[in-house]
Amino acid sequence: MPANTTASSPKKKKGRRARLLVILLVLALLGGIGYGGYWGVSAVRASFPQTTGTIEIPGLRGEVEVKRDDYGIPQIYADSDDDLFRAQGFVHAQDRFWEMDVRRHMTSGRLSEMFGSGQVETDSFLRTLGWRKVAQKEYDEKLSPDTKKFLQSYADGVNAYLQGKGGKDISFEYAALAFTNDYKPEPWTPVDSVAWLKAMAWDLRGNMQEEIDRSLLTSRLDDKQIKDLYPPYRIENKPIMENGAVDPATKKFDPEAEPKGDIRDDGNGNNEGNGNNSDGNGGSTAESGAEGTGDGSTDGTLGHDAGGTPAEGTDGAPADATDAAEGLSSQLAALSDSLDTIPALLGPNGNGIGSNSWVVSGEYTTTGKPLLANDPHLAPQLPSLWYQMGLHCRKVSDACTFQTAGYTFSGMPGVVIGHNQDIAWGLTNLGADVTDLYLEKLSGNSYQVGDEQKELVTRKEVIKVAGGKSKTITVRETGHGPLVSDRSTELEKVGQRAPVANDAPDRATGYGIALKWTALEAGKTMDAVFDLNRATDFKSFRAAAENFEVPSQNLIYADTKGKIGYQAPGKIPVRKKGNGIVPAPGWDPDYDWKKDPIPFDEMPYEENPKRGYIVTANQAVIDPETYGHLLTKDYGYGARSQRINNLIESKIRDGGKISTEDMRTMQMDNTSEIAKILTPYLLKIDISDPYVREAQKLLETWDYNQEPDSAAAAYFNAVWRHVLKLAFGNKLPKEMRVEGDCLSVRPADSTAPLDELERVIECGQRDADSAQPDGGDRWFEVVRKIVKDEKNSWWRSPASRNDKATDTRDELFARAMEDARWELTAELGKDISSWSWGRLHQLTLKNQTLGTEGPGFLQYLLNRGPWNLGGGEATVNATGWNAAAGYEVVWVPSMRMVVNVGDWDKSRWINLSGASGHAYSAHYTDQTDKWANGELLDWSFSAKAVDTNTVDTLTLTPKAGP
């Protein structure tokens, strides 16, 4: 039976018609009237998906219904698992295939095949990491037969959509791409789906950037200063779990146990150097006024120990490991540059990337059942990373086992975050330290391990380039992992600069940096996704979590029987020695990981805690002083999590109850925690300049809320930005400052007297999204610890052409207030009554390929915005911005949901953009205005509610004949 080509039901949106007219005019001008007309019809309209009528799909066993609501969100109904995932693949491809295709080329290091020579450097780095190779191994050796079957059905559905279509029939972007090359999409494979998990793990990999930055700081700062900038976790910001410990006898985690014993020397835990003991916590000093700022790095890693003594090598390591560390800086700077070239699909890796989730027991809710909220903070992109969808078996049976709905990733089957008929779950980034960098001593085709030389493992990779010649690279690996330093041309000279006294036979390749990362080992996370979708209780939920190996996430839970819970899963390494905060000497086997990670039975979890709620927002999982394993030294510092805890506690105090609306309101909380600390000091400063005083007065009645229309929020955040720049940013090495930020400074690593130095001009080199100081809650803690010490050395800043040097806190704050006044005058105007935070703090949604690097007219056609937003950095409404670069929004709550457990149809949800990836669809950004305003949409789950809200129904039928 031929497909019924009935068009989708129309949904008119303001501005859509005008934009379409502009598109047609531009295309006509570009290619001539005739060619432009071809583009107008073929590229703008032909790729819109069919959402009504019938379509025949090869391989279906029975009819499948795809019911879409007024926002284009699909609910799929089938009678078998195979049909369900075949249809999911088909529907994902209808709305998002361009996104899927770009994503799989990124994960396999093949972007150059689509976009040409400009992507060769990125592809080379990704081929070196070998994501696709690991994904293939997972599929071949690790995943269950059921998972493989679901992946294949999904791939078959994607390919059914692609069958017989040219690029212009799939998405407008292919029509634009056709001007530069003859690229044609290829069939989808199951491994394409598995590889996406590697990209997700990369962006959530933990403290790799901090590891690099700590080492780079040694060129400008001493050990004590570096520790000032990485203070220990403030335990007053409550960890996720308030109790619990591993029982030394049973080797199992007991969520009710009082902390006792130490398992770090039993062969499973870290036996030393985790920095969680009192010896590593430092003490206050008269100079800094800082308290407890040590990091526990007294274990002989590269560089200096906590006392500033040169570290000594052991067990065959070179005795001058500190000298080798001096040659490390240039390698790490180049590696950091390489990291900036990799597309960050989830967001800038660092202190801001994270999420909020919390669950409240029915004892404290107006519904009498648990309420669960989640909003992951990821990169703003268009279309949104998430795709809302329901996967329904008409009748749950052995043949059809899914009844679930929530947020999916286009390109991957199943639901990542959401609920089924029995349980709901959410995710936040645990932030576990699952990467280590190793400085390897190389000699020709070998590397040193103890007293031996081992041969490097090598492989050739051929990178095909659209419109150009292919490039062949050689990937080299040590026992720790790939040599990521090979992927920077600057690193070709590294071996010649590494000052080592011991013999290095091949000085041209004396040192390299290898990456060890848990995600480069085959795992079973794809199994976990399907098991979560079908979990029915806390026991089966935990069983599913055991396979959720990478990325390591905080999993929260609620069920229809009233239980709430939490599980920390993940493949988290156990280090023989060291704590992962700085690169380790690869030649010393004592710094290797143990064979087995932390056992799942020893990972923290809890169910039905007495307090009646659980909050996870990237804070510490459990008190690091009492938990026997090292999860990470670089948690988020808990500003968001503690604010959420405070909001919940204030609501339930004296018998209060929390409603679905209360949960939504909490998600939109805009309170600035750093403003509460600094504003009283700013108001005490005597300001003589009337224009600066006028701005200072804005803070007198401010309630610390960063609403879009707040002039006070705009001024405070500008002051905060300049405080950071003067106190810290101008003292950082160029490799960490924002690109183009040029300063007159003393030469790095110079030991000459200051009065004999000729100052040099150094310009920042780092991408705007990852430059420092970024203003996240680590910097909140840095400033909090010294703000009472008016003469702390960090408050000193040199004179400029127009300003005197500062020696005290108040002098620096006054200068920051003046600089902020004139910056906002330039940005927003002289009249402070016209100022608003939203005018500074804007979100522009950009198509992640042609919308960021394509011609200007294409960017206009594909991108949307700007939106003026409230919220801010380390705020519950986490519209993040990087203070080193400006005020533009660089990460966002990528979606928001509030699940009404048991009464599923009263749940609410919203996406950052819309269901469609087609730039001119009514559903491209039809949720964004509501998202920006903090609104949520109704979330239908029951068959009755879905039918009530359905506006389009597409029937997929088995294709007749062979």
Side-chain angles (χ1 to χ4, degrees), residues 245-262:
V246 177
D247 187 324
T250 65
K251 300 295 193 299
K252 291 186 177 182
F253 188 86
D254 180 355
E256 298 297 329
E258 291 295 327
K260 60 181 179 180
D262 193 332

Side-chain angles (χ1 to χ4, degrees), residues 358-376:
W358 65 94
V359 60
V360 181
S361 166
E363 179 183 358
Y364 296 113
T365 67
T366 58
T367 66
K369 293 283 189 179
L371 294 174
L372 185 151
N374 198 186
D375 56 289

Side-chain angles (χ1 to χ4, degrees), residues 264 269-275 296-302 311-315 317 436 438 573-585 588-594 630:
R264 285 175 289 183
N270 291 356
N271 57 9
E272 62 177 300
N274 67 358
S297 56
T298 58
D299 48 28
T301 47
L302 288 171
E312 296 179 358
T314 59
D315 296 335
D436 273 341
Y438 287 87
V574 177
R575 294 165 177 85
K576 294 178 183 178
K577 188 176 183 179
N579 54 22
I581 65 171
V582 293
D588 186 347
D590 284 352
Y591 287 88
D592 287 347
W593 294 356
K594 293 188 177 182
L630 174 65

